[in-house]
Amino acid sequence: SQVATNIPPFGVHGLLRLDVVTAGGDPALRLTNVVCQLAATTGVTTLQLFATEDGRFPLSTPVGPEVPAAAGLVNVPADATLIAGPSTFWVGLGVSGAVRPGDGYDGALTAVQFDDGTYVVPSPGDPPGQLTVGAGIAYSTLRRRGDDGISSYRIPGLAVSRAGTVLAVFDIRYNSSADLPADID
């Protein structure tokens, strides 16, 4: 599947979602390659395959190396052992500063290959939807009220290390959002 969404002009974004279902009696299969076709590659740097347990892309784990993006057919190698039942993968698209607002990226799955020689052509290979570079602000929610049984998170702060890593900090308010002498870390 593919979701039409706006993306910032940097980072790695989920282009194509691939759901694979194996029967319980099947021997363990390994996903070894995904072949996809890219329509446009201006500003696209890489493609990479990711696995996820909850279906969402941002919380995914790479299961193969990055490969250079190119217009046309691209082999995206993988090394992922499939579990019995459903497994979800994403073809991630890396973009750089060379993109402009309004640029669009569309992809199609051409084939999925497994270690037993099986070669599957997904249906539909070219799902509707595409990624469009937007002018919006990109953000990530690190914690929400109630996460991990915590009442609230307060007093956020950001810092950048000498290596360029962004560090986010905040207070953990265990029982309420009250200030000291409440239970706070």
Side-chain angles (χ1 to χ4, degrees):
S1 60
Q2 192 171 17
V3 177
T5 189
N6 285 327
I7 60 171
F10 54 85
V12 179
H13 309 283
L15 176 67
L16 295 163
R17 177 179 163 154
L18 173 64
D19 293 307
V20 179
V21 179
T22 59
D26 290 344
L29 282 177
R30 275 188 26 255
L31 177 63
T32 58
N33 193 47
V34 173
V35 183
C36 46
Q37 180 149 358
L38 288 179
T41 58
T42 301
V44 178
T45 56
T46 58
L47 292 176
Q48 188 172 17
L49 197 67
F50 295 85
T52 179
E53 292 183 12
D54 66 1
R56 296 185 294 171
F57 178 73
L59 302 177
S60 301
T61 305
V63 293
E66 289 182 344
V67 294
L73 292 177
V74 180
N75 286 306
V76 183
D79 185 12
T81 301
L82 300 173
I83 59 170
S87 297
T88 301
F89 301 93
W90 281 92
V91 175
L93 176 84
V95 295
S96 71
V99 298
R100 297 179 313 271
D103 283 352
Y105 301 105
D106 191 15
L109 287 172
T110 304
V112 180
Q113 296 172 309
F114 302 94
D115 66 338
D116 69 350
T118 306
Y119 186 91
V120 178
V121 177
S123 176
D126 188 8
Q130 73 172 17
L131 301 179
T132 304
V133 176
I137 297 173
Y139 67 92
S140 292
T141 301
L142 301 178
R143 291 280 186 230
R144 296 182 201 280
R145 169 176 279 204
D147 284 356
D148 299 322
I150 305 300
S151 173
S152 62
Y153 301 88
R154 291 193 50 209
I155 321 299
L158 291 175
V160 179
S161 75
R162 289 186 179 138
T165 303
V166 177
L167 305 169
V169 297
F170 44 83
D171 282 0
I172 297 174
R173 307 288 175 110
Y174 289 98
N175 302 316
S176 73
S177 61
D179 290 327
L180 290 173
D183 189 8
I184 298 172
D185 279 341

